[in-house]
Amino acid sequence: MIVSFPNMGYSWPAFKTLIECMGVKVVLPDPTNREAVKIGVKYSPEFVCFPFKVTLGDFVSAIKKGADTLVMAIDCGPCRFGFYHAVQERILHDMGYKNIRVIPLDQADLLEFKWVKTLFDVTPTKNLFLYTKAVKAVQYFIKKTKYIEDISTAEGLIRCYERNKGDTTRVVKELLIKLDKTNKINELRKFKSVITNDFKKIDIDRSRDPLKVALSGEIHITLESHDNLDIRRKLGEMGVQLYQNLSVYDWVIHKFHLNFHRKWLEYLARPYMPMDIGGEAVWVIGEYIDRARSGFDGFIHAYPFTCMPEISARTILTNTLYKKYNLPIIFFSFDEHAAESGFRTRLEAFVDLIQGRRKQKRQKKEIKLEKKSKEPSYEVHGGSLYNSIFQFIQAG
Amino acid sequence: MQSKKTTNQRELKHLKSALKSYRYDKKSKIKVGIPRALHFYRFFPFWKKLLEELGCELILSPPTYKQIVEEGAFQGFGELCLPVKVYYGHILYLMREYPELDYIFVPRYVSERVEGYFCPKFLSLPDVIRTLPNIPKILTFTINVKENPISNSIISLAKTLGKGQREALQAYEKAKKYHKQYQDFLRKGTPVGYALKLVEKDKPFKMLKKKTPKNIKFLLLGHGYNIFDTYVNLDFQKKLTRHGVDVLTIENLPEILFKEPVIINKQFRPYWLHEDEILAAIRYYLVQGRKEIDGVIFLISFACGPDSLIAELIMRDMKVIRLPFLQIIMDEHTGEAGLLTRIESFVEMIKRKKRKLDEMKEKQDLKIFEEA
C-alpha cells in the first residue's frame, strides 16, 4: 500500500511523517504545476471552487507515481469542502483508476478522535502496537507543523530586508528538507535554534522601512504558492513585511479547541457574524479588526472564485468594516484563468497606494498629535521565534 | 366659567385617550415586509400564519421583474449567486416603496436536522443584509436544531414583537399545522405557484381541475427560488407545457421518498438539506421509478456552490442508467432564444426516442402474434 495526499504549501513534511510513522510508504505528488491544474480542470465540474480542481490534479500526479490510497481531509461543515473526497473518488473511478481508494480524514472535531480510525485504515498490518505508533505520529506531526509555521512567519518577516533576491526562498527550501530528514525526538526539540540560525545567516539591509501587510483568506489558497501566484514572494520583493496567522498548526490546534487566538478573533467578529459559516469567514472578519487595531498598513483577502463563505465575509468587509476601520484592503479571487501580469499590476498599485497613505499619515502626525480613537490599539504579538527574529532585524 | 373649563378639560382628556387608543390600534399592527425570494418559495405559508398570529401585517414584494434584478445585481458584486442578488433587489424595492415598514423579515436558517446545514449564504443572510445602507430594522429568527429547538427561537421572535410565550407557542402550533396542510396539498400534485397564490389570498386549498395527462413527463429538479420564480427562469415551466410536457417537481413527490438518508459513500453522509431532497428524489427515479418519467431537467443558478457538486454526481449516475438529462445554468444575462432552442431540441429528442421505442414494441407484438 502506497499512500499519498494533495499539496498544501509547505505542509508536506508534516503530513509525510504522520503517515510514515504508522509504517506505511508515502509518495509525494509533484509540486502543483500547470499540467496538474489542467488535468484537474478538465475532469472536475465546471464551477466548483479552485482547490477541488487543484487537489484532483495532485491526486492524478500521485497516482501516476504509484500511489493507490489517497488521504483527503474533510469537514462536515456547511461549505463544499465536505463533499470533496466523495466526488473526487467518483471522478477518479470514472477516469479509469478503478482500484484507487480516497480515505477521508475527518477533522470536524479532532477531540472526537475519528482521525485515529483513518490512521488505522491506512495501515495494512493491524496489531496492538498501533496505538503507540499513532501517539508518536501525532506528536511528530504537531511538532513539525509548529516548525513549519515558524518557518513561514520568519520568511514573511525577513524577506523584505534581504540584500540578494532569492536568499530567503533558498533558506526556506533547505529548512523544509532538513525538517523532513529529522526524525528523532531529540533533534526535533532543538530544531527551533536551527531555524533561527539559518535565518540569521541571511544578509539583510536594516535601513529599509517596509510596509506591514496582513494576508488572510481561504486556507488552501493562501498557503499553496502555485495557486496564489506566489503572492508571498512577490509582496516580499516589493518591500512588504507579511504577517500571516493561517497555517496548518493554527488550524489543527483550533480543532483541538486550544487555539485562544482564534477565540479572540471570533470574539471580535461576533457583532458582524455570530457563527461559523465554514471556510475562514469568521476569522477573516476578526483578523481584519485585529489588524486594524494594531496599526497595519494593508490587508489582503485571497479566496477561490465563488467560495461561498468568503464571499459573505467580503460583502461584510466592504460594506461596513472598511468604512469603520479604514484599513486598506484588496481582494483576490483565484481560479485557473490566472494572468500573472495583471495580478502583478494590481499588487503594485495596491502597494503604491498604501505607501502614499502611510507617508501622508506620518506628515499629519508631525503637525498634530493623532486624535485618540475609541478603539483600543495594541502592538503585534507573536511567539518566541517571532520575537527573536524581530530582535535580530532591529539589532543592527 | 368653571363648569365650561372642566367640560373642556374633560373633552380634551377624552380626546387624548381616544387618540392614544387609536395610536395603539395602529401600532398593534406591526408592518413587516417579506421579500419574495430565496426561502419564500419554501416556507411562506409557515411565516404567514406565524406572523399573522403574532399580530403583524404582512407586505409582500411583487414577483420579480427586470428592475429588481438590475438593482440587486448592482448592489451585490459579481461573484454572488443570482438568487442572492434577486434577494437584494427585493429588499431594495421594499425599502423604496414602503418607507413606513417597521421591520423587514430576514430569517436565518441554519439547520432543520441535527446532522445538516443549509448553504453558507443562508447562514449569514441577516448579517449580510444588515450591511446594506439605510436599512430599516431587521426581524430575524434562527432555526438551528443543533443548539435549541425551533419553539425557543419563535418565543424570542415574539418577544421582539411584544408578545408573550404562550401566544408564541400557540402561533407556532397553528403555523406548523397550516404548513403541514400546505405540504399535503402539494403532494396531491398541485403546482407550487398556484398553491402559493391561494395562500397569499387566504383562500382554502382547492384542487385545480385535472387536465388530461400528456404524453411526456419530466422531473424538474432544482431549488424553489429557481424553479418557481418565473422571471428568473424565463417562465420555464410554461415553455415545457407548451411543448406538451407534464412537469413534476420535488414538492409533488410523496413524503416516503425523503425519509431514508441518501448514501453517496460508505464513510460519508451528505449534509445540505435541499440537496439531500434532490438526491433522494433522483434516487427513487434511478432505481424503482425508472419508467415513470422520460427525462430530468436540472435548473442551476450560476455560481451556486452546492448544486455544482450535486449536479456532477447526478450527471454521472444518469450516464450509467441512460436517462436523458439536461442541465441548464442561469444568470442575469439569460437570453430567451438560446433557452428555447435547448428545450425544443431536448423535447424533440425524447419524442423521437419514444416513437422509436413504440415502433419496436409494435413489431415485437406482431412477431408474438404471428408466432401464436
Side-chain angles (χ1 to χ4, degrees), chain A residues 35-246:
Chain A
E35 280 304 305
V37 175
K38 226 184 217 172
I39 291 172
V41 169
K42 191 177 171 190
Y43 289 101
S44 40
E46 190 188 344
F47 45 92
V48 283
C49 31
F50 190 39
F52 183 97
K53 298 171 183 173
V54 178
T55 43
L56 188 69
D58 283 345
F59 280 155
V60 173
S61 94
I63 290 167
K64 278 178 186 163
K65 275 183 161 184
D68 56 7
T69 309
L70 305 165
V71 180
M72 182 77 204
I74 63 163
D75 190 354
C76 289
C79 116
R80 268 178 279 194
F81 186 36
F83 268 81
Y84 272 25
H85 84 282
V87 182
Q88 276 172 340
E89 193 178 28
R90 188 73 195 272
I91 290 174
L92 285 174
H93 284 188
D94 283 359
M95 277 169 77
Y97 305 115
K98 295 277 179 204
N99 302 321
I100 299 297
R101 267 206 309 162
V102 181
I103 295 179
L105 177 64
D106 193 339
Q107 39 114 9
D109 185 354
L110 292 180
L111 286 182
E112 279 175 9
F113 293 99
K114 277 181 188 165
W115 45 272
V116 180
K117 210 184 141 230
T118 314
L119 285 183
F120 291 175
D121 268 1
V122 169
T123 46
T125 54
K126 287 188 172 50
N127 52 34
L128 258 181
F129 296 106
L130 273 181
Y131 281 97
T132 56
K133 273 184 182 173
V135 169
K136 189 189 162 195
V138 171
Q139 192 185 1
Y140 276 44
F141 173 73
I142 289 181
K143 274 218 148 44
K144 284 201 175 180
T145 44
K146 173 70 185 149
Y147 290 133
I148 289 162
E149 192 199 45
D150 285 349
I151 290 169
S152 71
T153 47
E155 180 206 355
L157 284 178
I158 233 168
R159 183 177 274 130
C160 49
Y161 290 101
E162 68 183 9
R163 274 220 172 83
N164 310 321
K165 265 188 185 177
D167 266 2
T168 322
T169 318
R170 201 198 67 237
V171 167
V172 169
K173 258 184 195 169
E174 284 170 4
L175 270 173
L176 284 178
I177 292 166
K178 265 186 208 169
L179 182 63
D180 186 33
K181 278 174 187 164
T182 45
N183 279 320
K184 280 176 187 164
I185 197 77
N186 292 341
E187 287 173 20
L188 257 184
R189 276 185 186 140
K190 287 170 196 161
F191 199 77
K192 191 173 260 175
S193 59
V194 179
I195 296 174
T196 42
N197 287 338
D198 274 20
F199 273 108
K200 278 176 186 172
K201 276 176 202 160
I202 295 174
D203 183 19
I204 62 170
D205 178 8
R206 292 193 171 81
S207 64
R208 285 180 199 168
D209 184 17
L211 293 157
K212 272 203 293 187
V213 168
L215 173 65
S216 189
E218 202 268 343
I219 190 163
H220 187 274
I221 289 287
T222 42
L223 292 184
E224 175 57 49
S225 61
H226 181 269
D227 293 3
N228 57 29
L229 303 173
D230 229 349
I231 191 172
R232 292 170 62 86
R233 212 193 71 219
K234 271 173 192 153
L235 277 174
E237 284 168 3
M238 281 173 198
V240 169
Q241 205 170 28
L242 205 65
Y243 289 73
Q244 187 183 10
N245 274 333
L246 281 174

Side-chain angles (χ1 to χ4, degrees), chain B residues 18-30:
Chain B
L19 211 117
K20 220 178 189 178
S21 70
Y22 171 71
R23 267 186 198 152
Y24 184 72
D25 257 19
K26 214 181 177 188
K27 231 180 190 177
S28 68
K29 283 263 178 194
I30 300 166

Side-chain angles (χ1 to χ4, degrees), chain A residues 12-36:
Chain A
W12 55 269
F15 284 112
K16 198 177 163 194
T17 42
L18 179 68
I19 293 160
E20 263 180 358
C21 281
M22 301 301 288
V24 192
K25 212 181 159 194
V26 173
V27 161
L28 291 175
D30 292 333
T32 313
N33 49 31
R34 233 194 173 135
E35 280 304 305

Side-chain angles (χ1 to χ4, degrees), chain B residues 54 141 150-161 163-166 168-169 172:
Chain B
L54 290 174
F141 78 118
I150 298 171
S151 49
N152 274 17
S153 49
I154 282 171
I155 288 169
S156 62
L157 170 83
K159 232 179 203 174
T160 50
L161 293 173
K163 290 280 174 344
Q165 185 169 338
R166 200 162 159 200
L169 287 178
Y172 174 48

Side-chain angles (χ1 to χ4, degrees), chain B residues 255-295:
Chain B
E255 202 180 353
I256 318 157
L257 297 186
F258 306 109
K259 287 210 166 151
E260 218 175 291
V262 186
I263 298 165
I264 295 178
N265 198 330
K266 267 181 197 168
Q267 298 123 327
F268 172 68
R269 253 195 86 183
Y271 43 82
W272 288 314
L273 295 165
H274 286 192
E275 273 65 22
D276 250 19
E277 281 178 3
I278 291 173
L279 282 174
I282 209 71
R283 177 188 57 185
Y284 171 73
Y285 284 109
L286 284 177
V287 188
Q288 294 135 344
R290 168 71 186 83
K291 278 170 189 167
E292 286 173 31
I293 50 167
D294 302 303

Side-chain angles (χ1 to χ4, degrees), chain A residues 45 47-48 76-80 82-83 85 89-90 94 272 274 277 303 305-306 308 311-312 314-315 319 333, chain B residues 77 79-80 88 108 117 120 123-124 127 131 264-265 267-268 270-272 303-306 308-309 312 316-317 329:
Chain A
F47 45 92
V48 283
C76 289
C79 116
R80 268 178 279 194
F83 268 81
H85 84 282
E89 193 178 28
R90 188 73 195 272
D94 283 359
Y272 307 99
I277 61 159
Y303 59 91
F305 181 61
T306 71
M308 299 178 283
I311 280 178
S312 306
R314 176 179 169 170
T315 345
N319 283 358
S333 72
Chain B
F77 66 102
E79 275 171 56
L80 273 172
Y88 276 159
R108 186 202 300 277
Y117 276 109
L123 305 199
S124 62
D127 304 325
T131 63
I264 295 178
N265 198 330
Q267 298 123 327
F268 172 68
Y271 43 82
W272 288 314
C304 178
S308 64
L309 287 170
E312 182 75 9
R316 280 169 195 274
D317 280 336
I329 297 167

